[in-house]
């Protein structure tokens, strides 16, 4: 159902009160660029950022079916807005969202069963995700394609997300709206992201602070979040971390000077 959800004419803009607050905090280009690097896990500047380079096929396993439909449709709408191609019904899933009770223990038990987890992820990669603080766990199986005959990462290298999954505790997600949960999942699923603490000063806000204890939760994806995701998917397929960071910061700065 989510795969065939009609794209909205335009995603709802933030209300005027939010715009006023943000305009008082003039975006600092360096701060915005630094936030991209923090969000993306401090990727090497000259290495490409991973992204989906094939149509997105989303599969959902959410204990509350009605809420699940709202979350799934919002994720698909976000993906379309960022420039991803959406696969048709009957596709083979390459993106999985699970919201259930005690997600962490379910992950541990599933892995102990001996079954393949997400794509070709190694045990140490799954362990690293399980050490995260959020009640949400994001997995990405990334394929690195190196064109250089010496096997070096260069401008022709690409990183493809072959499959991705976000698994979240049901109780933790229930305190937020379907829009907040879907927007958070979208970024964790479709882009290189990691947990971040509350941003301060002149840096932009982000939905990625949703589960921080002392952070003010965003009502939806921030302008920064959408710009980062759109930049990642609309630059060339193997844009470097530096290019994505600088372009995101420049677009944010231009937007605020209009």
């Amino acid at each position: 159902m989510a795969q065939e959800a009609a794209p909205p004419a335009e995603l709802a803009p933030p209300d005027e009160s939010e715009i006023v607050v943000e305009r008082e905090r003039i975006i600092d280009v360096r701060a915005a660029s630094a936030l991209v690097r923090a969000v993306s896990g401090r990727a090497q500047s000259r290495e490409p950022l991973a992204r989906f380079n094939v149509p997105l096929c989303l599969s959902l396993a959410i204990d509350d079916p009605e809420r699940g439909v709202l979350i799934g449709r919002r994720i698909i709408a976000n993906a379309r807005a960022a420039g991803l191609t959406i696969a048709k019904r009957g596709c083979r899933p390459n993106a999985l969202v699970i919201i259930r009770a005690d997600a962490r223990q379910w992950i541990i038990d599933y892995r102990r069963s001996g079954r393949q987890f997400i794509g070709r992820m190694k045990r140490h990669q799954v362990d690293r995700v399980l050490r995260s603080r959020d009640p949400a766990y994001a997995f990405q199986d990334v394929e690195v394609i190196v064109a250089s005959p010496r096997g070096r990462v260069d401008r022709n290298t690409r990183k493809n997300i072959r499959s991705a999954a976000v698994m979240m505790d049901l109780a933790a997600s229930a305190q937020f709206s379907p829009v907040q949960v879907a927007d958070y999942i979208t970024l964790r699923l479709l882009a290189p992201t990691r947990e971040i603490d509350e941003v301060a000063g002149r840096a932009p806000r982000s939905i990625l602070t949703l589960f921080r204890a002392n952070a003010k939760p965003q009502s939806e994806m921030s302008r920064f979040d959408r710009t980062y995701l759109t930049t990642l998917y609309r630059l060339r397929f193997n844009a470097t971390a530096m290019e994505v960071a600088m372009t995101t910061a420049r677009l944010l700065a231009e937007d605020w000077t209009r």
Side-chain angles (χ1 to χ4, degrees):
M1 187 180 296
Q3 289 300 122
E4 297 183 350
E10 184 176 350
L11 290 170
D15 60 41
E16 287 298 318
S17 61
E18 183 178 331
I19 293 175
V20 172
V21 171
E22 289 288 342
R23 284 195 179 279
E24 289 175 355
R25 299 169 58 259
I26 303 301
I27 297 300
D28 181 285
V29 173
R30 290 186 179 180
S33 179
L35 184 56
V36 172
R37 292 194 294 273
V39 164
S40 61
R42 303 197 182 284
Q44 294 296 316
S45 297
R46 298 186 182 280
E47 290 192 7
L49 286 183
R51 64 177 229 184
F52 278 99
N53 287 301
V54 296
L56 180 71
C57 183
L58 179 65
S59 178
L60 305 171
I62 300 176
D63 285 353
D64 184 337
E66 292 184 7
R67 184 175 168 89
V69 169
L70 296 176
I71 291 171
R73 286 177 171 170
R74 176 77 177 187
I75 293 171
I76 291 296
N78 287 338
R80 279 200 177 100
L84 279 79
T85 300
I86 308 302
K88 296 181 179 180
R89 184 186 288 270
C91 56
R92 182 176 181 180
N94 54 15
L96 172 65
V97 174
I98 294 177
I99 300 179
R100 56 170 295 144
D102 199 358
R104 177 185 175 83
Q105 189 58 49
W106 182 86
I107 294 168
I108 293 172
D109 292 343
Y110 187 94
R111 189 176 59 174
R112 283 176 179 169
S113 71
R115 289 175 288 179
Q116 184 64 38
F117 195 63
I118 301 298
R120 302 176 188 177
M121 290 188 70
K122 307 297 184 184
R123 186 179 185 86
H124 72 275
Q125 294 173 312
V126 177
D127 288 340
R128 184 170 60 246
V129 175
L130 286 173
R131 289 195 293 269
S132 62
R133 296 167 297 171
D134 281 351
Y137 304 92
F139 304 89
Q140 290 181 340
D141 177 25
V142 177
E143 176 187 33
V144 180
I145 300 177
V146 179
S148 169
R150 297 184 180 182
R152 295 178 179 176
V153 175
D154 57 22
R155 289 184 62 85
N156 293 316
T157 300
R158 63 191 298 174
K159 292 184 178 181
N160 300 326
I161 299 177
R162 288 185 292 206
S163 57
V166 173
M167 303 179 188
M168 183 180 294
D169 278 333
L170 181 64
S173 70
Q175 62 184 308
F176 300 109
S177 71
V179 168
Q180 288 173 303
V181 172
D183 284 3
Y184 177 90
I185 289 174
T186 298
L187 280 168
R188 301 304 310 274
L189 196 68
L190 305 182
T193 53
R194 68 180 184 89
E195 299 169 336
I196 61 172
D197 292 313
E198 174 70 302
V199 294
R202 300 175 73 178
R205 300 301 184 197
S206 173
I207 193 70
L208 292 173
T209 62
L210 188 65
F211 292 104
R212 296 280 65 80
N214 299 320
K216 180 181 179 181
Q218 298 291 297
S219 61
E220 62 181 2
M221 266 197 206
S222 68
R223 195 178 302 269
F224 164 80
D225 296 327
R226 291 204 178 279
T227 304
Y228 168 52
L229 191 61
T230 300
T231 299
L232 175 65
Y233 279 93
R234 295 191 180 178
L235 287 179
R236 59 189 176 83
F237 65 86
N238 58 350
T240 65
M242 178 183 294
E243 290 171 328
V244 173
M246 295 306 297
T247 302
T248 299
R250 177 178 56 79
L251 291 173
L252 284 168
E254 289 176 355
D255 188 42
W256 291 119
T257 58
R258 291 173 186 167

